[in-house]
Amino acid sequence: MEQVLELKHIHYSYHTLNGETPALTDISFSAEKGEFIAVVGPSGCGKTTLLSIIAGLLEPEKGLVKINGRYVRDSVTNVGYMLQHDELFEWRSIYNNVVLGLEVQHMMTARTKERAHELLDFYGLKQFKNSRPSQLSGGMRQRAALIRTLVLEPDLLLLDEPFSALDYQTRLNVGDDIGQILRKEKKSAILVTHDLSEAISLADRVIILSKRPASIIQTIPLIFQLEEDTPLNRRNAPEFKTYFNLIWKELNSNE
Ligand code: ADP
Ligand code: MG
């Protein structure tokens, strides 16, 4: 199997006027191409720090990060980052928001523009291309934000609690929706969340982090016997509760 991500012995501390805050201790894991990994851990344990290191926004104190076999600092364009808030610009239409990354990276070609239209059509935003973000529901905006990331064809998608700003009902639907889009597009993704249900409904594997400074407590592969393996079907499957209890126990054993 081809590895898209490799992390080895990552350590990171923040240094401020008040002293040192260790955030990550000895984090090692890898992700295979097309794999969807969820990283769960208590609030403030170091999840966003970990994603920032994978994205190359922070440099680890110790350890190495490779994406597609190359050191992160040597490659900038192949990681897509999706945040808690959709960060769409109100003064731009949905289409112009979706192609923003292409513009910034000088990748506006006939082919990439066509791809943007294709994704908008395919994922139900065809009639909203000329609308403003405020005219869309929270879920639709999050889908537009995902399409903006996907048109850049990232090798690896990083999702930082991307649904946590949505209300419960919307969160379930959007999580389901985005999970299925990522599977259809065969994207490798790392989702960090403090929501166990979200992790279990979406991922191939869950990595459990301790409280700060985060270290890996355990990694749990998720296997569901489902005819149609979708996030919503998972939530109703008997395995769901078993995994939930298992991960819950691991998280709390760390208290
Ligand atoms: P999480 O995403 O799991 O909630 P973070 O990675 O954002 O956690 O933060 C981990 C810890 O590092 C927190 O305790 C936070 O207070 C601290 N931290 C985060 N960013 C900074 C920063 N820029 N300067 C100092 N400390 C920080
Ligand atoms: Mg965070």
Side-chain angles (χ1 to χ4, degrees):
M1 260 289 186
E2 230 180 303
Q3 271 184 2
V4 63
L5 172 71
E6 189 183 2
L7 293 180
K8 274 193 177 157
H9 307 298
I10 299 294
H11 292 256
Y12 191 84
S13 300
Y14 290 99
H15 297 272
T16 62
L17 291 175
N18 300 325
E20 183 181 287
T21 309
L24 303 173
T25 346
D26 200 18
I27 304 280
S28 302
F29 69 90
S30 47
E32 276 158 17
K33 207 158 183 259
E35 199 179 14
F36 195 134
I37 294 182
V39 177
V40 300
S43 289
C45 78
K47 299 183 295 297
T48 297
T49 307
L50 179 63
L51 285 192
S52 302
I53 284 176
I54 297 173
L57 301 171
L58 291 176
E59 178 125 11
E61 284 177 325
K62 279 196 237 166
L64 70 83
V65 187
K66 281 182 174 179
I67 291 174
N68 284 334
R70 291 180 12 214
Y71 288 104
V72 161
R73 59 172 180 276
D74 303 333
S75 57
V76 273
T77 56
N78 53 5
V79 174
Y81 212 147
M82 197 168 147
L83 306 164
Q84 190 169 345
H85 297 282
D86 52 54
E87 319 278 351
L88 297 175
F89 293 110
E90 184 58 24
W91 45 274
R92 287 188 154 228
S93 67
I94 290 300
Y95 173 76
N96 282 323
N97 267 289
V98 160
V99 296
L100 182 63
L102 292 174
E103 273 179 34
V104 171
Q105 303 205 15
H106 308 290
M107 285 166 61
M108 281 288 257
T109 63
R111 202 192 65 77
T112 57
K113 282 190 263 186
E114 192 189 310
R115 179 76 180 136
H117 282 292
E118 241 173 52
L119 285 167
L120 285 164
D121 295 352
F122 195 71
Y123 294 117
L125 294 175
K126 190 176 187 148
Q127 64 271 50
F128 295 95
K129 284 180 197 173
N130 298 317
S131 308
R132 301 285 152 175
S134 61
Q135 295 173 286
L136 273 65
S137 68
M140 287 160 99
R141 282 203 301 273
Q142 211 53 339
R143 208 184 301 164
L146 179 67
I147 293 172
R148 179 179 56 192
T149 311
L150 289 177
V151 287
L152 296 168
E153 310 214 327
D155 297 319
L156 178 64
L157 263 167
L158 305 176
L159 307 161
D160 194 352
E161 315 222 14
F163 317 123
S164 57
L166 305 168
D167 64 75
Y168 183 70
Q169 182 111 18
T170 313
R171 201 162 82 217
L172 288 187
N173 287 322
V174 176
D176 184 64
D177 182 41
I178 290 202
Q180 300 217 47
I181 294 174
L182 293 179
R183 292 226 181 264
K184 209 172 287 160
E185 304 291 329
K186 296 195 170 40
K187 284 292 163 198
S188 319
I190 313 282
L191 164 79
V192 308
T193 177
H194 62 267
D195 184 333
L196 299 192
S197 308
E198 195 169 284
I200 298 166
S201 67
L202 290 168
D204 298 314
R205 191 148 59 100
V206 177
I207 292 175
I208 307 169
L209 298 181
S210 68
K211 58 180 191 257
R212 192 183 67 75
S215 60
I216 295 179
I217 300 180
Q218 211 185 324
T219 299
I220 294 176
L222 301 172
I223 298 150
F224 284 82
Q225 307 294 333
L226 283 169
E227 231 160 78
E228 211 195 336
D229 190 2
T230 65
L232 282 180
N233 287 347
R234 279 189 179 196
R235 285 179 193 267
N236 295 316
E239 297 95 328
F240 190 87
K241 214 169 151 190
T242 314
Y243 284 128
F244 190 96
N245 290 335
L246 179 65
I247 297 169
W248 179 257
K249 219 187 265 164
E250 288 297 337
L251 272 173
N252 288 302
S253 68
N254 177 239
E255 282 300 302

